[in-house]
Amino acid sequence: MSETNLVHLNAPDCWINDPNGFIYFKGMYHLFYQCFPYATQWGRMHWGHAVSKDLVQWEHKGIALYPSKLDDRSGCFSGSAVEQDGKMHLIYTGVNYIEEDPENINTCLNDQFQSAQLMITSENGMTFDNLADKKTVIPPIAAQHIGSKTHTRDPKVWREKDAWYMVLGSSVEGKGRLLFYRSKDLQHWEYVNHVEKENFGWMWECPDYFETDGEKVLIFSPMGFLNDGKAYDSAAVCMIPEFDAESCTMHLPDEFQFLDYGLDLYAPQSTTDAEGRRVLVAWARMPEAVDGKWNGMFCIPRMVEVKNGHIYFRPHPNVQNRFTKKISSPTEAGKGGYKISLDIDEGAEINIGGYRISYRNNRISADRSTVFAGHDEIRCHFETPAIYEGNHLEIYVASNLIEVYINNGEYVLSNVVYGLSDQIQAENYEIFTTQD
């Protein structure tokens, strides 16, 4: 498969969701992703695969993982990638439906399924032997006081001190929690500890733990967290925890941030780039297929930085450096879309093709109602917390995703849109497109 995407990676004529196995390996960035290759709707999960030399130009490489074993017969769900001894190891959740829907065997009835954690290895990061090389490394959890045999998934693996560590999302008695495991060889894993938090959703998906700028960062996606009667009741959150590797004891603070205040981005995953900086991508949830052909895309790769106890997200420098061609209108933009740069005054409003951004009471708000018609079940109005570092906006505009970076990543507000026009109404702005 030779289809390429510039800046934003989107689905290749099918459905995609969570980013998986994000890693810089042997001079290339590899980004795997949840994929149902047969339709533009969610189904039995496979892993699609895309590669890039620079996090800007992406090439789809087809299907990397597909169901082939009893423990993943109903889907290869989310997971991560690590390098050991020059090989790429993918660790992911395999699902086995106990009760399939007879009208659609790609889905499950009555939550009757079980989950295990599997591993597969590749010498070159491009070819995977789905028939001979998969191994179950953590079977479905039997001890109900530790975690759910159904809702335990999304392993993120990292190296620390003299061992490998894994964090899994899980659920016990209607409360979300994280499970911590340790291994010497990536194959034999021992449960060590868990952490949970009251009134923070019933299941914690896609956990990611890492250190950057000398600070610890935890990101996860609690289900049932927003609980405001709208669709997408789950959201990606981030915080600065305390973590002791020896005991796998984690203390969670009371304070947290949303990963993105547009609340469309979900299931983020991070890695380190070629220079060792922390970079992250996330899935932009889409309620309908674009032109009936594809559903699902990822945000711009974002740097993760911590300053004065606050987590910042800003476009990766490789992306920033591509948006340097100054233009006068969106009609002149290349296939990577365009960027608007401006300082916004208190009380001002910007209209980007029907997507409205305003600055009032020291907060940035967005209204996508005119470019999101027919989806009243999903939120259309959004607002950041109070900003404190200025009033500068960098707005990256693609056909179906707008990302508003505030004060170089103090907050980000991103939204899926449909049917943008080429008109911009704003004061004193500059517009740039990619050097394709």
Side-chain angles (χ1 to χ4, degrees):
M1 183 181 295
S2 60
E3 181 181 351
T4 60
N5 292 164
L6 185 66
V7 184
H8 295 89
L9 183 67
N10 63 258
D13 296 329
C14 63
W15 166 279
I16 66 173
N17 51 288
D18 305 5
N20 297 154
F22 192 20
I23 189 172
Y24 183 69
F25 179 76
K26 295 186 177 180
M28 295 286 287
Y29 294 97
H30 294 255
L31 182 57
F32 302 86
Y33 49 85
Q34 295 287 275
C35 175
F36 185 58
Y38 312 114
T40 58
Q41 63 190 43
W42 190 96
R44 193 174 301 253
M45 288 290 102
H46 299 51
W47 276 32
H49 186 195
V51 297
S52 175
K53 294 180 179 179
D54 59 4
L55 294 170
V56 178
Q57 186 84 26
W58 292 94
E59 180 182 2
H60 287 286
K61 305 303 288 188
I63 299 298
L65 302 186
Y66 57 84
S68 61
K69 301 294 182 182
L70 181 64
D71 278 339
D72 74 357
R73 67 180 299 274
S74 305
C76 303
F77 282 65
S78 290
S80 54
V82 294
E83 180 177 356
Q84 183 187 46
D85 299 329
K87 300 177 182 180
M88 181 190 293
H89 303 269
L90 304 181
I91 301 95
Y92 68 98
T93 298
V95 166
N96 182 2
Y97 294 158
I98 307 303
E99 186 177 357
E100 290 179 339
D101 183 347
E103 300 302 319
N104 179 2
I105 62 169
N106 295 296
T107 60
C108 177
L109 290 179
N110 303 316
D111 231 18
Q112 293 299 303
F113 65 93
Q114 60 184 23
S115 301
Q117 315 312 318
L118 288 80
M119 185 172 72
I120 189 170
T121 300
S122 174
E123 296 278 351
N124 59 10
M126 303 298 289
T127 55
F128 300 87
D129 190 341
N130 281 262
L131 299 178
D133 191 46
K134 290 177 179 175
K135 179 178 180 179
T136 297
V137 294
I138 301 178
I141 294 176
Q144 297 182 14
H145 67 284
I146 292 176
S148 167
K149 71 176 182 179
T150 300
H151 294 290
T152 296
R153 53 183 173 267
D154 312 335
K156 182 66 189 292
V157 177
W158 75 97
R159 183 78 180 181
E160 189 162 332
K161 295 183 178 179
D162 59 349
W164 293 98
Y165 290 80
M166 176 193 296
V167 59
L168 284 160
S170 192
S171 176
V172 171
E173 297 181 350
K175 293 191 297 185
R177 63 166 50 178
L178 302 179
L179 311 180
F180 296 98
Y181 286 75
R182 185 163 48 220
S183 172
K184 294 291 186 182
D185 59 5
L186 287 176
Q187 300 190 50
H188 302 90
W189 291 90
E190 175 189 12
Y191 166 76
V192 185
N193 213 336
H194 72 270
V195 66
E196 59 188 16
K197 187 178 180 70
E198 292 292 333
N199 302 315
F200 223 79
W202 69 269
M203 163 68 196
W204 291 1
E205 293 194 295
C206 302
D208 195 351
Y209 169 75
F210 53 86
E211 293 190 24
T212 187
D213 299 322
E215 296 277 5
K216 299 174 173 63
V217 176
L218 175 68
I219 301 175
F220 61 99
S221 299
M223 302 180 73
F225 178 56
L226 297 176
N227 196 26
D228 62 358
K230 291 288 188 179
Y232 302 165
D233 67 351
S234 50
V237 301
C238 54
M239 58 186 66
I240 300 175
E242 298 176 5
F243 182 69
D244 175 71
E246 184 65 29
S247 62
C248 286
T249 300
M250 179 174 280
H251 296 286
L252 304 182
D254 292 332
E255 300 79 16
F256 72 92
Q257 300 170 221
F258 285 112
L259 180 95
D260 188 290
Y261 285 81
L263 301 179
D264 284 348
L265 296 190
Y266 196 68
Q269 187 169 109
S270 74
T271 189
T272 51
D273 70 4
E275 284 73 41
R277 300 169 296 193
R278 184 59 55 169
V279 58
L280 171 146
V281 293
W283 167 45
R285 297 178 283 193
M286 308 183 79
E288 65 175 284
V290 176
D291 300 325
K293 296 179 179 178
W294 59 269
N295 192 318
M297 62 188 297
F298 299 123
C299 68
I300 288 171
R302 301 176 176 185
M303 301 288 294
V304 187
E305 298 166 334
V306 180
K307 183 170 64 173
N308 298 325
H310 185 81
I311 304 170
Y312 288 71
F313 299 95
R314 62 182 178 87
H316 191 277
N318 291 2
V319 175
Q320 290 179 314
N321 293 338
R322 288 295 283 268
F323 284 84
T324 57
K325 181 180 178 182
K326 194 168 183 178
I327 57 177
S328 59
S329 167
T331 59
E332 302 172 26
K335 62 180 181 179
Y338 60 93
K339 179 185 78 172
I340 299 171
S341 178
L342 79 162
D343 292 333
I344 184 170
D345 295 329
E346 174 72 27
E349 181 177 282
I350 307 161
N351 188 334
I352 303 172
Y355 182 84
R356 297 176 181 273
I357 302 166
S358 59
Y359 181 35
R360 294 183 179 88
N361 301 319
N362 214 34
R363 300 170 188 268
I364 300 296
S365 301
D367 178 354
R368 66 169 170 191
S369 54
T370 61
V371 286
F372 206 64
H375 301 291
D376 296 338
E377 77 282 6
I378 303 174
R379 302 167 197 84
C380 281
H381 302 90
F382 309 89
E383 186 177 78
T384 69
I387 60 178
Y388 57 86
E389 289 203 348
N391 61 340
H392 185 69
L393 306 183
E394 299 280 347
I395 307 165
Y396 289 80
V397 182
S399 297
N400 293 97
L401 182 64
I402 295 180
E403 304 180 46
V404 183
Y405 292 83
I406 302 159
N407 298 330
N408 200 30
E410 179 184 344
Y411 295 110
V412 192
L413 196 160
S414 304
N415 284 133
V416 167
V417 294
Y418 297 92
L420 284 178
S421 78
D422 290 327
Q423 302 298 314
I424 299 175
Q425 296 175 1
E427 298 290 336
N428 301 318
Y429 67 91
E430 293 182 303
I431 181 169
F432 303 87
T433 191
T434 52
Q435 297 285 354
D436 296 342

